């Protein structure tokens, strides 16, 4: 079975082909990031995002067909991100997928964006097996999930306000870095001195598995305001202090979630999962607790079509039937559990 995956929930257009033959294989994937287009505005402009998805989808589809050597006639289903995300951006991908599937007489598989992130480590050369605990840390979400199998997700904890990636982005903006600033902030933090700027560890000792990051951002605002002029060294130290605080909370809660679940595997997914310091701390502390940690390949940490093709294929393999192509709706707000 060959599944085409379409991702268009935010500012990345992703298209991929996944085959379930011989244990499963990603045949090809292509991505267009709109980051440089939105950078001038300091954030994603939804209307521009939608229009750019319209422009990119056909060339990206042509590219994955050429790269994989597949033809449209070889496709068995079309999976696409149904939500959550920007309504207009989702509509472009959904309309494209449904129209293509209608023309080809194929079923569609509407996929939850976070399910794509959650399953993305299965694309790596060392994939985890079910069950596992997943730490989902993206620009829009921060959640801990108990994953028993494809489609079997139980929420263990989540952020009460800002998502981890959102906190990275807002702090980066405050320090004069561009959008999205997560990776730039992490790079700046590398040149800072650990321990010099002490920031709060929100909800570290709350006893539950929830997060809160808006107070941390406010603490950075206060720190920056206290300074009349900010030197490069001070900016780097603040970035370093911010990263230390957020990483400590994420690592502590993620390991606690694994302990509570009684499992021994942790999967980290979503854009913040690309953070090197998070990976370093998690690897070190998990090894001591005899917990195996799994990450997606770096290119599949942030939004991409491969994870959507994979999620669609795994759903079909798990016995979920595809839907007849045609009528559709997108779900800009959509909880992964209880839907
Ligand atoms: O998963 P993703 O591509 O999009 C959403 O579904 O939200 O995640 C994007 C988020 C952004 O907030 C970005 O700043 C953050 O991931 N990010 C990072 C790093 N790379 C991307 N945050 C911290 N360190 C990084 N290296
Ligand atoms: Zn995402």
């Amino acid at each position: 079975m060959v599944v085409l995956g379409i991702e268009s929930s935010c500012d990345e257009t992703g298209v991929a082909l996944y085959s379930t033959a011989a244990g499963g294989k990603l045949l090809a994937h292509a991505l267009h990031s709109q980051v440089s287009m939105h950078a001038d505005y300091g954030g994603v402009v939804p209307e521009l995002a939608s229009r750019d998805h319209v422009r990119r989808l056909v060339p990206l589809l042509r590219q994955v067909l050429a790269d994989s050597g597949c033809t449209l006639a070889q496709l068995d289903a079309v999976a696409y991100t149904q939500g959550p995300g920007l309504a207009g951006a989702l509509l472009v991908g959904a309309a494209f997928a449904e129209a293509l599937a209608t023309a080809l007489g194929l079923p569609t598989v509407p996929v939850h964006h976070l399910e794509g992130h959650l399953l993305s480590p299965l694309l790596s050369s060392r994939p985890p097996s079910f069950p596992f605990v997943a730490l989902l840390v993206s620009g829009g979400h921060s959640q801990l999930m108990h994953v028993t199998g494809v489609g079997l997700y139980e929420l263990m904890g989540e952020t009460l306000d800002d998502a981890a990636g959102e906190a990275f982005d807002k702090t980066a903006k405050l320090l004069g870095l561009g959008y999205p600033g997560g990776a730039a902030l992490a790079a700046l933090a590398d040149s800072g001195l650990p321990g010099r700027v002490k920031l709060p560890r929100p909800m570290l000792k709350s006893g539950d598995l929830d997060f809160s990051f808006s107070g941390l951002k406010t603490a950075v605002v206060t720190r920056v305001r206290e300074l009349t002029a900010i030197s490069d060294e001070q900016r780097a130290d603040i970035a370093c202090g911010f990263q230390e605080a957020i990483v400590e909370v994420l690592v502590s809660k993620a390991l606690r979630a694994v302990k509570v679940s009684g499992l021994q595997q942790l999967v980290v997914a979503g854009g913040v999962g690309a953070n090197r310091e998070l990976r370093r701390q998690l690897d070190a502390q998990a090894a001591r607790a005899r917990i195996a940690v799994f990450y997606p390949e770096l290119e599949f940490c942030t939004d991409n079509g491969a994870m959507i093709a994979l999620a669609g294929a795994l759903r079909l393999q798990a016995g979920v039937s595809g839907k007849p192509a045609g009528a559709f709706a997108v779900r800009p707000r959509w909880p992964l559990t209880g839907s």
Side-chain angles (χ1 to χ4, degrees), residues 62-76:
R62 288 214 171 101
Q63 191 181 329
V64 294
L65 289 172
D67 290 353
S68 63
C70 282
T71 62
L72 288 175
Q74 286 170 278
L75 302 186
D76 294 291

Side-chain angles (χ1 to χ4, degrees), residues 113 117 138 303 307:
H113 180 78
H117 277 303
S138 70
D303 294 348
M307 67 184 193

Side-chain angles (χ1 to χ4, degrees), residues 113 117 138-140 165 168-169 180 182-183 186 270-272 274-275 301-303:
H113 180 78
H117 277 303
S138 70
F168 263 97
D169 293 341
V272 181
N275 187 273
C301 274
T302 45
D303 294 348

Side-chain angles (χ1 to χ4, degrees), residues 268-317:
V268 183
V272 181
N275 187 273
R276 279 216 315 270
E277 184 61 16
L278 176 65
R279 290 182 174 217
R280 209 169 60 81
Q281 296 285 345
L282 260 183
D283 288 343
Q285 297 190 38
R288 265 179 254 138
R290 295 183 187 284
I291 292 167
V293 191
F294 300 85
Y295 306 94
E297 305 291 343
L298 271 182
E299 62 182 329
F300 300 137
C301 274
T302 45
D303 294 348
N304 63 85
M307 67 184 193
I308 303 303
L310 170 78
L314 293 184
R315 287 185 78 84
L316 291 172
Q317 264 191 323

